[in-house]
Amino acid sequence: MRWTKFIHLTDTHLVPPGQLLYGSDPLLRVLAAVRSIAAEHGDAQFCLVTGDLAHLGEPAAYRALQDALSALAMPVHLLIGNHDDRTAFRERFALTPVDPMGFVQQALPFEHGQMLMLDTNEPGVSFGVYCQRRLDWLQARLEQSGEAPLWIAMHHPPFDVGLPSMDAIGLRDAEAFARVLEPHRRRVRHLFFGHVHRPISGSWHGIPFSTLRATNHQVALDLRRADAIPGSFEPPAYAVVLIDPWQTLVHTHDFLDDSQRFDL
């Protein structure tokens, strides 16, 4: 087969079973996504989840997430976001690789290169941090990767996305992050992130990027408001990513869409 296929899922925001979040049950949304992935894309090589797995980092929420994701036959690779608790996450997902400092990040090899999965969580704050220790780890992985093509996954975007309420809690020290990437920028094929709960794509320093809507609730499209984060219940989604040596394609799938289908 020409393509390497994987699934990008983000911002599941699980709470303990039986609880609601903004009037919706996040677990039911995740279970629906899992059913859709298993039925329609069971041939994917893996599922990538880019953080905010739990809304408040409760152990019961991580247990529910583990149970839900166990229905997928493919490997599931997890990152954490600002809503997550690193300690509680690692207790439940003990097999998830971490770096020597305990950050939830890894260099994941696959058929066409490497996926660098980065940890931007900083306890007690909503914005992202990629400190010098993490930068040193990233620089070493970049240097060790030779000439291999690279894909990057992280929770916080390392740039503003035009939503003032979300840009206020983006990644701090993004310039230092960009400087570490710069010598290897031509090898970075795509950047995947979460955090903003919106379908956004573009390029940054020449690197293509994409993100998508979350599974429970979304951030409404408001390019002016900065006093609070405007929410909505736009349709949840996951992305189906197709990679070959020449291109990276990202299809967004509104998995709860039940509109009529017909031949054109």
Side-chain angles (χ1 to χ4, degrees), residues 85-230:
D85 181 281
R86 188 180 287 110
T87 299
F89 167 81
R90 291 188 61 189
E91 288 176 354
R92 174 53 50 180
F93 295 96
L95 297 181
T96 298
V98 297
D99 70 12
M101 298 160 291
F103 294 114
V104 183
Q105 47 187 22
Q106 61 172 308
L108 176 69
F110 66 104
E111 183 179 1
H112 299 300
Q114 286 189 14
M115 178 77 70
L116 300 177
M117 301 180 61
L118 311 183
D119 182 341
T120 60
N121 169 284
E122 185 70 11
V125 298
S126 295
F127 55 80
V129 170
Y130 208 69
C131 62
Q132 190 61 50
R133 292 184 296 166
R134 285 174 266 196
L135 285 170
D136 291 343
W137 178 90
L138 175 59
Q139 184 167 348
R141 302 292 81 70
L142 290 167
E143 293 172 354
Q144 292 170 4
S145 63
E147 291 299 311
L150 302 170
W151 288 260
I152 295 176
M154 57 202 303
H155 181 68
H156 295 83
F159 44 79
D160 287 347
V161 297
L163 301 169
S165 59
M166 298 305 294
D167 290 340
I169 54 173
L171 185 73
R172 301 292 169 93
D173 300 322
E175 292 182 2
F177 180 77
R179 284 196 298 270
V180 169
L181 283 184
E182 177 58 31
H184 310 274
R185 180 166 54 87
R186 66 176 180 82
R187 295 192 288 125
V188 181
R189 300 290 193 261
H190 202 87
L191 169 64
F192 300 93
F193 60 92
H195 189 54
V196 296
H197 295 231
R198 290 219 55 78
I200 301 174
S201 61
S203 65
W204 168 72
H205 290 269
I207 299 172
F209 65 77
S210 63
T211 186
L212 65 156
R213 293 190 296 273
T215 53
N216 186 67
H217 57 280
Q218 316 309 335
V219 173
L221 180 59
D222 190 325
L223 303 181
R224 297 170 297 177
R225 189 173 180 186
D227 62 315
I229 299 174

Side-chain angles (χ1 to χ4, degrees), residues 12 23 44 60 245:
T12 52

Side-chain angles (χ1 to χ4, degrees), residues 46-69:
F46 60 88
C47 179
L48 168 71
V49 191
T50 50
D52 278 0
L53 310 172
H55 189 64
L56 295 175
E58 305 100 327
Y62 291 122
R63 185 167 56 251
L65 180 64
Q66 186 179 55
D67 291 343
L69 295 176

